[in-house]
Amino acid sequence: MTSALAFKEPNEPTSLYPRLRIAARDVVWLKGEECLAQSRHGDKWLLLKLNTNEPIFKSDDELLRLHGSGQLKFRSRPTRHQPLSPLAPQVLTEAAQCDASRKHEYVLYISDHPDGYRTSKPWIKARIAEKAEQLGDRQPPSPGSVINWKRLHDAYFNEIGFAAYAARHDLKGKRGSRMPPILREALDRSVDRYLQGGSIEDAHVEAQTFIHDFNQTAEGKKYCQVAPQRFLRKDGTLAAPSISTLRREISQKLSHFVVQAGRVGKYSARRKFTTFQTRRLPERPYQEVEIDFTPMDVILVAESGALLGRPYLLALLDRATRMVLGFSVTFDVPTYAAVMDGIKHATYRKEISHIDGLKDEDWPCMGRIESLFIDNGREFANSHLQTAAAQLGFQICRLPPREPWLKGLVERFMGEVARFAHRLPGTTHSNAVEHREYEEPELPVLTMAEFRDMVTKWIVTVHNVRPNRALGQVPGVARRPIDAWRDKLGVFDVPSLPDVNLFVALAGEHEERTVQRYGVEWDHIRYWSRELDRILTHPDHRLKSSAGQPAKYQVHRDPYDLSKIYLHSRHADEIITLPAVEKWASYANGLSVHQHRLCRQHELIREEQRSDPVALMKAKAKIIEAGRGALRSGTRKKLERNLVRFLYGPRLQLLQPEIAAEGKSTKGHEPMPLSPIVSTPALIGTEQGAAVAKHVAQPEHVNAHWHTMSTEEDDDEIDRLAAEMASGVRTDE
């Protein structure tokens, strides 16, 4: 049986696609090479490369496919230049669009004229006059201009539209500089001087000095005899480039990026003139987490009403959902201890049901961090965080310095929480100048616990439910972070979390210590447990007598509680808890690293001076004078913060230092001393602080005065100051 496809009309086309309109002698650009359409042979064209005269055969289907992919561009006549860009920058302005539309009107009028298009200039001039009368054009173009526009229309209009009429200054020839080489060198020196800083007048002096020195040389005197007259002064010497020439050179030849990079710096130039793209959101929560510190613009008080100062806030935010994963509030300066608390708060389930109107389910964030984005602060860039990352299984992404926009999510959150703090009583506002505008500021009344609960409620009820346009599935449509969290729960499985009791053992401060018969010593505090016997008797334990160096084991501790440490035994792959020995158990209970270091500093100095009464008396006088000077100087806030760090911390239930006032029992323990090196001033002497402290009971020693030459050997002025701090009352009013 014969197929119907075997019978085909002779003239029936093999393809349903139309052919490209190409005529002989047309020039086409095939894959960036200029070719001439020589002749047609059946359904193929013979193309000749103009550079090599190499023949190429292409069928109509191949030419159409190349034209559709942008690899083939054809012209009606040969040209010397590559095809124009799809959008010329000259036609982007409104004036350029109007000018191109005017040219197009003239070209269409002579092209579609009933008499037909003619190249006769008298005929074209008559047609131009007719069209100018219709358009009301008082300055009609010349016939040569219209003929040139017609050529551009035929060559480029079908591909790039009005851009075919744009003025292509980039295709013009370069004439080069007419300035002599010596003047060009002087101008270049001036430009380099301007990029180094200073005014343009200072840069012009550089050119004048260079030309003056050149005129004094033998080569310069010889050059002035043959130089063009327009470059010489009246006395026959070479003239320096004018300041207007220097301005033109800077404005026309130098880019804004080069000027900014030279005068200000490369970092500033990149920040001002480079572009950036918006990354897509991570696929699951906890995949990318940003962390940062900031001081809060609010003053907190103690339970007794004493003013404690401004706290610090550390926050961790999730890039995938914009949810706040956890935070930490502390009086301590930015340290790794607060970072550890923040990571712990972000890892485990939140207990917020004690706050009025909230349930634990209102803040459902918990899980393991995969990537933590940090800046170059000391609290982040340290070995403690690197060890914690290895133990907890997350990656640290350290961002380059002075580029905060790389973690813009947490930076913006810090701005929002700062505005929230400005609405609380006791706020310091953004700066001292703004604070002075408020005639009757509210008194500080919030404690650390109250402030932490208020921040928690603001995060849960405001931040996590505020619509964010970055989370929208359609551009411009905002979504709430809690909704984004709910939608991503299908792709987010929480892996097994470490035991909360072992978190410090994994992420706390770490060092390598040797195991001795008396235990492990860290910061002069010894820790011991019977479980150390198994390490000392293990066959793999290396002693110093049998090898070059003794074996060291990695130990971890909570920087806010030195009562115990955690030792990792590599022999049995276990973690051993070592409490402080009985001698220091009472001292180390609830003791922080900062408190321990201050106590050691004080005790070292006191023990050295105890045998010398004169030296002790002089030391007391110096401490007293230093305290009084601090009250009159600008370092007072720093001293107050040091004292607040000693007395208060983020864990109030642990930080209960046994500071005994004068004449009171210490229950068998020595009072915890303060450091004379870090001065400890009295409370903030403000009217607000005095008003808050009115209800505080006045201790017996409140009217005692300090004397630089005290005769009471047992009267420790530092302990007196600590008692005053605990009572919340000043004695130096």
Side-chain angles (χ1 to χ4, degrees):
M1 182 176 180
T2 305
S3 173
L5 297 178
F7 300 93
K8 184 171 61 175
E9 295 294 334
N11 297 329
E12 183 179 355
T14 58
S15 175
L16 298 180
Y17 289 104
R19 296 183 302 181
L20 291 177
R21 183 180 299 176
I22 302 178
R25 310 301 299 173
D26 280 353
V27 174
V28 298
W29 291 82
L30 181 62
K31 297 182 179 179
E33 296 186 81
E34 192 176 13
C35 301
L36 180 66
Q38 183 71 21
S39 58
R40 174 182 284 276
H41 300 273
D43 62 342
K44 293 185 178 181
W45 270 98
L46 171 62
L47 307 177
L48 295 179
K49 292 185 178 180
L50 295 182
N51 294 335
T52 61
N53 288 332
E54 178 184 353
I56 301 176
F57 284 93
K58 294 292 182 180
S59 64
D60 292 330
D61 290 342
E62 292 175 337
L63 293 176
L64 188 64
R65 191 179 299 108
L66 292 172
H67 180 67
S69 62
Q71 302 181 51
L72 173 66
K73 298 179 182 295
F74 60 93
R75 304 285 176 258
S76 60
R77 64 190 66 187
T79 60
R80 296 180 303 168
H81 308 290
Q82 289 278 352
L84 296 180
S85 59
L87 287 177
Q90 291 85 349
V91 301
L92 296 180
T93 62
E94 185 177 357
Q97 288 281 2
C98 294
D99 185 57
S101 177
R102 170 178 168 270
K103 295 177 182 179
H104 189 63
E105 292 287 343
Y106 283 104
V107 170
L108 290 183
Y109 187 76
I110 64 174
S111 300
D112 301 338
H113 197 272
D115 297 341
Y117 172 69
R118 304 178 186 180
T119 57
S120 172
K121 287 189 177 182
W123 182 86
I124 294 178
K125 185 175 181 179
R127 305 290 81 77
I128 291 175
E130 296 174 1
K131 189 61 178 177
E133 184 178 0
Q134 296 178 7
L135 298 177
D137 190 0
R138 297 182 179 180
Q139 295 181 352
S142 63
S145 298
V146 177
I147 292 175
N148 186 38
W149 297 345
K150 178 68 167 56
R151 180 185 63 82
L152 295 174
H153 174 273
D154 295 341
Y156 307 117
F157 184 80
N158 290 336
E159 293 188 21
I160 61 178
F162 280 176
Y165 303 111
R168 300 292 300 200
H169 300 289
D170 57 319
L171 302 180
K172 296 179 179 179
K174 297 182 179 180
R175 297 177 298 178
S177 176
R178 300 180 181 179
M179 188 177 296
I182 189 64
L183 294 183
R184 167 56 56 184
E185 184 179 354
L187 196 61
D188 292 341
R189 287 173 176 266
S190 298
V191 172
D192 293 341
R193 175 63 181 83
Y194 177 77
L195 293 179
Q196 295 175 7
S199 63
I200 197 169
E201 288 79 9
D202 298 338
H204 187 244
V205 172
E206 184 75 18
Q208 292 176 328
T209 304
F210 177 77
I211 295 299
H212 178 269
D213 296 341
F214 178 76
N215 289 331
Q216 304 301 320
T217 62
E219 181 183 0
K221 295 178 180 179
K222 183 178 180 180
Y223 179 80
C224 292
Q225 297 177 0
V226 298
Q229 188 65 30
R230 64 177 181 272
F231 297 115
L232 300 178
R233 297 193 186 97
K234 293 181 180 181
D235 58 355
T237 58
L238 190 65
S242 63
I243 193 170
S244 60
T245 302
L246 178 59
R247 286 196 178 97
R248 185 169 57 253
E249 183 77 10
I250 294 174
S251 62
Q252 296 181 0
K253 301 297 181 61
L254 297 182
S255 66
H256 297 294
F257 181 89
V258 173
V259 174
Q260 186 78 5
R263 294 177 63 85
V264 182
K266 294 182 180 179
Y267 166 77
S268 176
R270 289 196 304 267
R271 184 178 61 178
K272 189 173 182 180
F273 296 107
T274 56
T275 60
F276 63 91
Q277 68 170 341
T278 304
R279 296 179 54 197
R280 66 178 181 179
L281 298 177
E283 297 180 357
R284 56 190 176 276
Y286 280 82
Q287 184 176 355
E288 296 181 2
V289 179
E290 298 179 6
I291 186 172
D292 200 9
F293 254 112
T294 187
M296 300 302 299
D297 298 332
V298 62
I299 296 178
L300 303 184
V301 299
E303 296 294 340
S304 62
L307 303 182
L308 303 181
R310 299 165 60 192
Y312 279 88
L313 173 69
L314 177 135
L316 296 94
L317 273 79
D318 178 46
R319 285 184 172 180
T321 62
R322 299 303 195 263
M323 291 279 285
V324 180
L325 303 180
F327 73 94
S328 175
V329 181
T330 176
F331 280 116
D332 204 355
V333 294
T335 57
Y336 175 71
V339 175
M340 184 190 68
D341 273 356
I343 295 177
K344 181 178 180 181
H345 188 248
T347 303
Y348 298 100
R349 182 171 179 173
K350 282 68 174 174
E351 297 179 358
I352 60 175
S353 58
H354 65 281
I355 302 176
D356 186 23
L358 297 183
K359 299 177 296 185
D360 293 347
E361 294 78 11
D362 295 336
W363 198 353
C365 298
M366 59 176 295
R368 280 184 178 268
I369 300 175
E370 299 183 27
S371 298
L372 186 65
F373 289 80
I374 65 173
D375 55 23
N376 291 266
R378 288 184 177 181
E379 63 274 13
F380 302 122
N382 53 60
S383 60
H384 300 305
L385 185 60
Q386 295 178 358
T387 303
Q391 295 277 20
L392 299 177
F394 63 84
Q395 180 183 5
I396 297 178
C397 301
R398 187 171 179 177
L399 302 176
R402 301 180 64 186
E403 295 185 4
W405 54 86
L406 296 179
K407 55 180 182 66
L409 175 62
V410 68
E411 295 287 349
R412 181 177 179 180
F413 171 79
M414 293 305 183
E416 294 177 357
V417 75
R419 288 189 290 271
F420 159 73
H422 293 166
R423 300 193 296 267
L424 299 178
T427 177
T428 61
H429 300 98
S430 300
N431 49 62
V433 177
E434 182 183 355
H435 185 67
R436 282 198 295 266
E437 296 179 357
Y438 293 84
E439 299 178 359
E440 296 181 359
E442 299 184 41
L443 300 178
V445 295
L446 295 178
T447 63
M448 170 67 83
E450 294 172 346
F451 178 73
R452 186 184 292 110
D453 291 345
M454 293 189 69
V455 173
T456 301
K457 190 164 186 178
W458 178 82
I459 290 175
V460 174
T461 60
V462 178
H463 180 272
N464 289 349
V465 298
R466 179 185 297 164
N468 192 314
R469 287 187 299 176
L471 299 174
Q473 298 178 350
V474 177
V477 181
R479 296 182 67 214
R480 302 189 308 168
I482 190 65
D483 294 335
W485 173 275
R486 186 180 297 109
D487 295 342
K488 290 184 179 292
L489 289 180
V491 295
F492 178 55
D493 296 331
V494 179
S496 59
L497 301 178
D499 190 341
V500 65
N501 298 322
L502 295 179
F503 184 84
V504 175
L506 300 175
E509 291 184 346
H510 79 283
E511 280 194 11
E512 290 187 348
R513 295 287 173 176
T514 59
V515 177
Q516 305 295 336
R517 295 181 61 186
Y518 55 78
V520 178
E521 186 173 346
W522 192 353
D523 276 348
H524 306 279
I525 300 178
R526 293 183 178 181
Y527 301 89
W528 175 85
S529 175
R530 291 191 178 276
E531 297 181 1
L532 292 178
D533 297 344
R534 293 188 285 110
I535 295 180
L536 292 176
T537 58
H538 198 277
D540 295 336
H541 178 70
R542 187 173 70 244
L543 298 176
K544 187 175 182 180
S545 57
S546 59
Q549 293 294 332
K552 291 186 177 182
Y553 298 85
Q554 192 174 79
V555 291
H556 294 256
R557 71 179 179 186
D558 186 349
Y560 289 130
D561 185 12
L562 301 186
S563 61
K564 56 186 174 182
I565 62 174
Y566 302 89
L567 183 141
H568 179 259
S569 175
R570 56 178 176 270
H571 306 312
D573 196 15
E574 62 179 352
I575 296 176
I576 302 175
T577 303
L578 302 179
V581 296
E582 184 179 356
K583 179 180 180 181
W584 303 115
S586 177
Y587 169 79
N589 184 25
L591 186 73
S592 67
V593 175
H594 176 71
Q595 290 175 323
H596 176 52
R597 290 173 181 173
L598 292 183
C599 293
R600 287 194 65 251
Q601 292 174 3
H602 171 68
E603 283 297 305
L604 287 174
I605 295 179
R606 189 168 67 172
E607 290 299 329
E608 291 176 359
Q609 298 177 350
R610 187 178 296 275
S611 60
D612 189 354
V614 178
L616 179 60
M617 181 176 57
K618 292 181 179 180
K620 290 180 179 180
K622 290 181 180 180
I623 294 175
I624 295 170
E625 290 300 324
R628 290 181 176 177
L631 294 176
R632 297 190 298 267
S633 65
T635 62
R636 176 177 164 192
K637 291 185 178 179
K638 180 179 179 181
L639 302 178
E640 290 169 351
R641 178 168 295 280
N642 289 331
L643 186 56
V644 169
R645 286 180 61 192
F646 186 87
L647 296 177
Y648 298 89
R651 307 180 188 180
L652 298 180
Q653 70 277 11
L654 293 178
L655 299 181
Q656 298 296 336
E658 300 176 0
I659 302 179
E662 180 185 0
K664 294 186 178 180
S665 174
T666 59
K667 298 183 180 180
H669 298 288
E670 286 243 357
M672 181 178 294
L674 297 177
S675 171
I677 296 179
V678 183
S679 304
T680 53
L683 299 180
I684 302 175
T686 60
E687 297 180 359
Q688 293 88 341
V692 173
K694 283 183 179 179
H695 64 281
V696 182
Q698 301 289 337
E700 297 179 359
H701 63 277
V702 72
N703 294 324
H705 296 282
W706 285 354
H707 301 280
T708 58
M709 299 295 293
S710 177
T711 58
E712 300 176 1
E713 297 181 359
D714 298 332
D715 185 10
D716 194 337
E717 301 296 344
I718 301 176
D719 293 339
R720 182 195 300 274
L721 183 58
E724 293 175 4
M725 185 63 195
S727 64
V729 181
R730 293 180 53 186
T731 62
D732 59 338
E733 293 291 347

